[in-house]
Amino acid sequence: LKLMLATVLRIGILSLCTHASAEDTNGNKENELSMKTAALAESSEFYIDVDSKFKKYINQWEKGEITEGELIKLVEENITPKLDTEEEVEALKLSEEIAEKEKMTASRIGEYKLAKAPINHIEKELFAKYPQNIANTVKATEIANTYSEMFWAEYTRWQGNGDAFRHALWSAIMTKDISRGWAHEFAYAHEGLRTNESRDNLDTNMDITNNYRGRVDGTTYSDLGNYELMQKVRKSVEDGKKVRIRTYTSKTPYAKVAGVPTKLLDYFSETTSGGRINKDKD
């Protein structure tokens, strides 16, 4: 009996020691990760490193210097490992904030830009996690920008009918060519938000609303080509199926947008055909 008790006690002590050791190890790991986060986030260098690599690879792909497969491989090998943990993602965010203060975030990644917005840390995180979606996301963005400039006057492309069209078409094409889940998550990321987060900002909520309605269009017309899909989205804008914020008037404007007298609204309004150019062009 004494021998059995001694054995049980010895096993218990060993178990406690092992548990304590594991806690120490976990604590050390957390400290190491925190130190790594702090080291990466102490300057804009981490952001600039990740940003420059994305820019280089996407530019090379756009110019035909590398294939889409090579683009994916380069990102997987040289960027994805840098954003493999929550701590590294947080470090990128903090490094980006420093870069913004230093006015170092003006670069665009290839032609990927919706309106004038540079790619943010959440978009980079998603590109690093799903590099197979980069090419089609860039293509969708280029198409949306091109058609918005072709069919809508400049003064409508911010908070107006052209803005609604651009966001809806972008999301519709991503839904059709990648997936509705990706279009959902990436559209939120473009606004600097995680999926289904909210922001008390009418401009942001306009984009989120039109992105959602664009995903519906992309799902409904998933069998159409991009040009035919564009026509469907354009008609939905003209028929008031999307939302805008601004209205334009010559009476006591608050400001001018692209030289056009502008009255500001603080609520959503149905889209219209106003601001359409090349109306006879199909």
Side-chain angles (χ1 to χ4, degrees):
L1 182 60
K2 288 181 180 178
L3 181 60
M4 289 176 62
L5 288 172
T7 302
V8 170
L9 182 60
R10 186 164 57 251
I11 292 172
I13 291 171
L14 286 171
S15 177
L16 287 171
C17 290
T18 302
H19 181 67
S21 176
E23 285 186 341
D24 290 342
T25 301
N26 289 335
N28 288 336
K29 284 182 178 178
E30 289 179 4
N31 288 335
E32 288 174 7
L33 289 172
S34 296
M35 291 174 64
K36 182 178 182 181
T37 301
L40 289 171
E42 67 181 2
S43 72
S44 60
E45 288 183 10
F46 185 43
Y47 165 84
I48 293 170
D49 177 53
V50 172
D51 185 74
S52 62
K53 283 185 170 63
F54 266 125
K55 187 177 181 67
K56 177 182 178 181
Y57 302 151
I58 294 177
N59 278 336
Q60 287 178 326
W61 166 70
E62 288 179 321
K63 293 176 180 178
E65 295 172 0
I66 60 174
T67 65
E68 183 178 338
E70 289 170 329
L71 166 65
I72 294 169
K73 185 177 180 181
L74 284 168
V75 172
E76 286 177 336
E77 292 178 350
N78 301 306
I79 299 178
T80 301
K82 295 177 180 291
L83 298 173
D84 197 38
T85 67
E86 291 182 10
E87 288 77 14
E88 289 166 333
V89 170
E90 179 64 18
L92 181 67
K93 176 185 176 182
L94 296 173
S95 182
E96 179 187 64
E97 290 173 357
I98 295 172
E100 287 176 348
K101 292 177 182 177
E102 296 175 350
K103 303 187 184 304
M104 298 293 289
T105 60
S107 64
R108 308 285 187 261
I109 292 186
E111 289 301 314
Y112 170 69
K113 57 181 183 296
L114 198 64
K116 297 180 180 180
I119 183 169
N120 63 51
H121 70 279
I122 306 178
E123 293 170 291
K124 286 186 176 73
E125 176 193 346
L126 289 176
F127 274 166
K129 192 174 182 180
Y130 303 104
Q132 68 273 19
N133 293 340
I134 295 174
N136 279 335
T137 301
V138 173
K139 290 175 186 177
T141 307
E142 292 174 344
I143 293 168
N145 284 334
T146 297
Y147 280 129
S148 68
E149 292 172 5
M150 182 182 297
F151 288 106
W152 301 94
E154 183 180 354
Y155 72 87
T156 74
R157 296 200 297 269
W158 177 55
Q159 298 187 347
N161 296 311
D163 191 357
F165 169 80
R166 183 178 63 247
H167 274 270
L169 181 59
W170 178 57
S171 289
I173 294 174
M174 285 196 294
T175 297
K176 178 176 70 73
D177 291 348
I178 305 174
S179 73
R180 185 159 177 165
W182 171 262
H184 183 198
E185 188 170 14
F186 200 81
Y188 270 89
H190 182 70
E191 304 300 330
L193 301 171
R194 300 291 177 182
T195 305
N196 294 330
E197 281 186 343
S198 61
R199 180 182 294 149
D200 186 19
N201 179 284
L202 199 61
D203 187 25
T204 298
N205 291 328
M206 172 188 163
D207 293 343
I208 288 173
T209 301
N210 289 316
N211 287 333
Y212 164 71
R213 297 184 183 185
R215 292 195 296 275
V216 173
D217 291 336
T219 302
T220 304
Y221 304 113
S222 60
D223 59 331
L224 297 182
N226 288 332
Y227 183 77
E228 290 75 19
L229 178 58
M230 178 278 295
Q231 291 177 312
K232 294 289 186 182
V233 173
R234 191 182 73 186
K235 188 174 188 308
S236 76
V237 171
E238 295 176 350
D239 290 346
K241 302 294 179 62
K242 304 299 186 282
V243 298
R244 63 191 174 101
I245 298 172
R246 291 176 177 271
T247 186
Y248 302 92
T249 176
S250 60
K251 297 180 180 179
T252 319
Y254 292 95
K256 286 189 176 182
V257 177
V260 176
T262 303
K263 182 179 179 181
L264 305 179
L265 299 178
D266 60 356
Y267 55 87
F268 287 158
S269 177
E270 290 182 350
T271 52
T272 69
S273 61
R276 269 286 312 278
I277 55 178
N278 298 328
K279 291 187 178 182
D280 297 329
K281 188 172 183 178
D282 291 323

